[in-house]
Amino acid sequence: MSSLSLEHIGKKYPNGFEAVKDFNLEIADKEFIIFVGPSGCGKSTTLRMIAGLEEISSGTLKIDGKVMNDVDPKDRDIAMVFQNYALYPHMTVFDNMAFGLKLRKVPKDQIEKTVKEAAKILDLEHLLDRKPKALSGGQRQRVAMGRAIVRNPRVFLMDEPLSNLDAKLRVQMRTEIAKLHDRLGATIIYVTHDQTEAMTLGTRIVVMKEGVVQQVDTPQNLYNEP
Ligand code: ADP
Ligand code: ADP
């Protein structure tokens, strides 16, 4: 049974521009789906519609058969990790990771337990009292991941999460994301420009162009074609 289905999804922005056209995809539980395609082809728009940060103009988004189109972002069981991390600069690592849980009125002792567990997974335990400006790029990226992990979502959406890191860190974080995917058993949808990331992480790759899905295939079939 499919965990996430996009049925004829379209996005028309208020200015009339059609950023996404008739997007169809069935995503099974625990898949690692990669979106690739030139800048402006509609990758982020699609992620934001799945997250509920952008209204779906046409079509239907379902999780386990339940229509999600009008469900509030915070009730979607989906967490998004952004390219620019979007950390609160005035809050500590702990508070940044706890924020989404506080918003959902999770009890304090439960928050503490959950944040500490996530910090352990992400090797952030010793940094919980720091502010983002006192962290390296890789550490900030881990905090951004931590904010998503604490919610234990069914689906993670990652919009070029490694693109602000230098080459060495990117390789290291790529390995960590692969481990995280195994460990969490969640579905991941991941936008990247990096072919190596797409090949090593993806179970399937969705190629987009000008708002239209061109191809959906495994990395093997997509990149090893003669
Ligand atoms: P990608 O993530 O693939 O780079 P985006 O989804 O960000 O692409 O953008 C897809 C297209 O929609 C681009 O042409 C972009 O300029 C346009 N777009 C994005 N946001 C808006 C908006 N609020 N209003 C109008 N057009 C937009
Ligand atoms: P969630 O865990 O529900 O995604 P977030 O902590 O990401 O919660 O964000 C909660 C709210 O705060 C959202 O409305 C989001 O748009 C806003 N927000 C997120 N990051 C920032 C930021 N760096 N500065 C200001 N507002 C933010």
Side-chain angles (χ1 to χ4, degrees):
M1 166 146 142
S2 154
S3 72
L4 196 72
S5 63
L6 286 79
E7 300 173 1
H8 305 292
I9 297 282
K11 178 66 190 184
K12 194 175 195 175
Y13 280 112
N15 66 359
F17 183 75
E18 275 189 82
V20 178
K21 298 167 201 163
D22 197 31
F23 193 121
N24 289 289
L25 188 66
E26 290 278 330
I27 302 173
D29 254 340
K30 297 175 192 165
E31 268 204 272
F32 200 127
I33 298 284
I34 308 269
F35 286 180
V36 298
S39 182
C41 71
K43 304 182 296 292
S44 296
T45 300
T46 306
L47 280 198
R48 292 205 306 272
M49 286 193 284
I50 296 170
L53 304 174
E54 195 74 68
E55 204 181 328
I56 295 170
S57 309
S58 53
T60 311
L61 173 71
K62 291 180 186 165
I63 294 186
D64 295 336
K66 184 170 177 274
V67 177
M68 301 306 285
N69 288 45
D70 297 324
V71 173
D72 194 87
K74 75 176 185 355
D75 300 322
R76 282 191 187 207
D77 210 7
I78 290 173
M80 188 146 168
V81 179
F82 297 92
Q83 175 179 17
N84 59 8
Y85 315 140
L87 302 178
Y88 299 100
H90 59 286
M91 286 186 198
T92 62
V93 167
F94 182 95
D95 288 335
N96 264 286
M97 284 169 65
F99 188 82
L101 298 176
K102 283 185 186 159
L103 214 64
R104 290 172 181 77
K105 313 260 187 279
V106 175
K108 216 172 161 186
D109 53 342
Q110 181 64 42
I111 290 180
E112 189 154 334
K113 185 164 167 273
T114 307
V115 169
K116 286 188 172 161
E117 276 170 13
K120 197 168 174 187
I121 292 173
L122 293 162
D123 195 20
L124 290 169
E125 283 169 300
H126 56 301
L127 301 172
L128 286 172
D129 294 327
R130 289 214 196 160
K131 299 270 177 69
K133 70 172 184 303
L135 300 175
S136 70
Q139 290 164 344
R140 279 180 209 167
Q141 183 50 259
R142 285 196 183 83
V143 178
M145 299 266 184
R147 286 202 342 185
I149 286 174
V150 293
R151 290 178 40 199
N152 193 26
R154 281 281 295 282
V155 182
F156 285 90
L157 307 176
M158 301 187 183
D159 196 350
E160 301 195 48
L162 308 186
S163 64
N164 287 336
L165 304 179
D166 64 43
K168 195 172 155 215
L169 249 178
R170 206 152 59 218
V171 173
Q172 187 188 331
M173 286 298 294
R174 193 173 76 215
T175 312
E176 291 185 25
I177 287 174
K179 279 196 221 152
L180 209 59
H181 177 238
D182 280 346
R183 182 161 181 173
L184 299 174
T187 304
I188 298 181
I189 306 177
Y190 188 103
V191 171
T192 185
H193 279 110
D194 184 320
Q195 188 170 319
T196 314
E197 279 178 28
M199 278 174 63
T200 53
L201 292 173
T203 55
R204 282 193 297 161
I205 298 174
V206 176
V207 183
M208 293 183 74
K209 190 183 168 193
E210 293 171 3
V212 178
V213 174
Q214 306 286 309
Q215 214 175 343
V216 182
D217 216 331
T218 61
Q220 292 74 20
N221 288 341
L222 207 61
Y223 293 120
N224 296 341
E225 278 173 48

